[in-house]
Amino acid sequence: MTITIKTGAEIDGMRLAGRLASEVLDYLTPHVKPGVSTEQLDKLAHDYIVNEQQAIPAPLNYAPPGYTPYPKSICTSINHQVCHGIPNDRPLKNGDIVNIDVTVIKNGWHGDTSRMFIVGEGSIAAKRLCALTYEAMWKGIVKVKPGIRLGDIGHTIQTFTENQGFSVVREFCGHGIGQKFHEEPQVLHYGRPGTLEELVPGMTFTIEPMVNAGRREIKETGDGWTIVTKDRSLSAQWEHTVLVTETGYEVLTLSAGSPPPPDFATKG
Ligand code: MF3
Ligand code: CO
Ligand code: CO
C-alpha cells in the first residue's frame, strides 16, 4: 500500500539477498553457450540457490493476481522476447541474445537482477542493443539520490534510449522490493522530470529497462507469461536493485562477476 523504508538490519538483509542474486548470474555465466538449453540453466540456478545459497528462487510458483503460477526458478528471454520467458528444452544457438533474470529470497529479503548474454558470436546490432540498454539502466541509476523524483529517472532513461533510435517498453517497469518481490512504487522507464514520488533514504527499488530495437509495442504469448515485441524486433533488458542512501545510491546487486559500470557512473 505504501513505500517501505528500510533501516539498519533490513538494509543488511537486502545487501545479502542482492549479492546472492548477482552471484547466481556469475555462476551461470560460463554455462551460457551454444547448445545449452534454458531449462538446463534453470536447473543449475535452482540447485545453486537452494543447495549452495540456502535461499529461495522467488519466481518459482510466483502467482500475481491474474497470472498462473510461474513454473521455473529463473526467467530467460531470448531475442524478440521482452521479459518473463520460461526456460525450455530448446538449445541456445550462436548469435542469440538472452536475458537471464534472477530473484532470490534470503532470510525473507529479495534481491532481483538480470543481465544480457550474447551466445557465441553476436551481430553488431545485437551487441549495440545490449550495450545501449546497459547504459540506459546506469543512466537511471546514477540519478538516484534523495530529493529527485521517479519521473526524473524515467525521463533520463527514455530520452537516452529514444535519442539513439531505440524504444522503451511501457507496460513493464521497475518496482519497490523488500520482503515482497514487487512493492510500491512502480519505477517507470519513461516519464517527465519533476513528477511522481520523491526519493528518500532507505527506499529500495529496481531499475530494469526493456529496450526494443524496433517499435515499443509488445504482445503476450499463449503461455501466460512470455512477452514478445509485436514487430519481432530484438529486445534487451538489464536490472539492478538499488538503495537510496543519504547522499545518492548503492547498487545492492553487485558481485565479483558483475560487468563494470560505465565510465559516466564511476568518473564524476
Ligand atoms: N524478475 C522479474 C522482475 O524483474 C519478475 C519475474 S516474475 C516471474 O520483476 F514470475 F516471472 F518470475
Ligand atoms: Co524486477
Ligand atoms: Co527481475
Side-chain angles (χ1 to χ4, degrees), residues 58-59 62 64 70 75 84 101-103 112 173 175 181-182 206 208 225 237 239:
Y62 183 61
Y70 188 79
C75 297
H84 303 166
D101 193 339
V102 171
T103 311
D112 187 6
C173 55
H175 49 91
F181 194 161
H182 294 101
T206 71
E208 49 178 302
W225 280 99
Q237 178 178 31
E239 174 174 26

Side-chain angles (χ1 to χ4, degrees), residues 2-4 6 14 62 103 110 112 150 173-188 202-208 239-242:
T2 48
I3 299 174
T4 60
K6 282 82 176 176
M14 291 293 290
Y62 183 61
T103 311
H110 288 72
D112 187 6
L150 287 173
C173 55
H175 49 91
I177 181 167
Q179 286 176 305
K180 295 210 195 89
F181 194 161
H182 294 101
E183 300 185 349
E184 288 183 21
Q186 294 194 27
V187 180
L188 304 180
M203 287 174 61
T204 50
F205 54 81
T206 71
I207 298 180
E208 49 178 302
E239 174 174 26
H240 270 313
T241 300
V242 301

Side-chain angles (χ1 to χ4, degrees), residues 41-82:
L41 297 174
D42 177 74
K43 170 139 178 57
L44 286 166
H46 179 92
D47 291 348
Y48 188 75
I49 293 165
V50 170
N51 300 326
E52 305 295 324
Q53 298 185 329
Q54 270 103 43
I56 298 166
L60 188 60
N61 298 315
Y62 183 61
Y67 283 80
T68 56
Y70 188 79
K72 298 287 182 181
S73 295
I74 58 173
C75 297
T76 53
S77 304
I78 301 166
N79 296 337
H80 72 299
Q81 296 176 344
V82 173

Side-chain angles (χ1 to χ4, degrees), residues 118-167:
I118 297 174
V119 181
E121 278 292 297
S123 68
I124 304 265
K127 287 186 209 160
R128 174 137 188 262
L129 173 66
C130 294
L132 171 128
T133 306
Y134 186 63
E135 286 197 26
M137 171 187 68
W138 273 100
K139 289 275 175 189
I141 291 172
V142 300
K143 284 265 145 188
V144 171
K145 64 175 179 185
I148 72 131
R149 290 177 178 271
L150 287 173
D152 299 320
I153 296 174
H155 178 76
T156 298
I157 292 171
Q158 180 183 11
T159 51
F160 173 78
T161 304
E162 292 179 351
N163 282 345
Q164 306 189 57
F166 293 77
S167 64

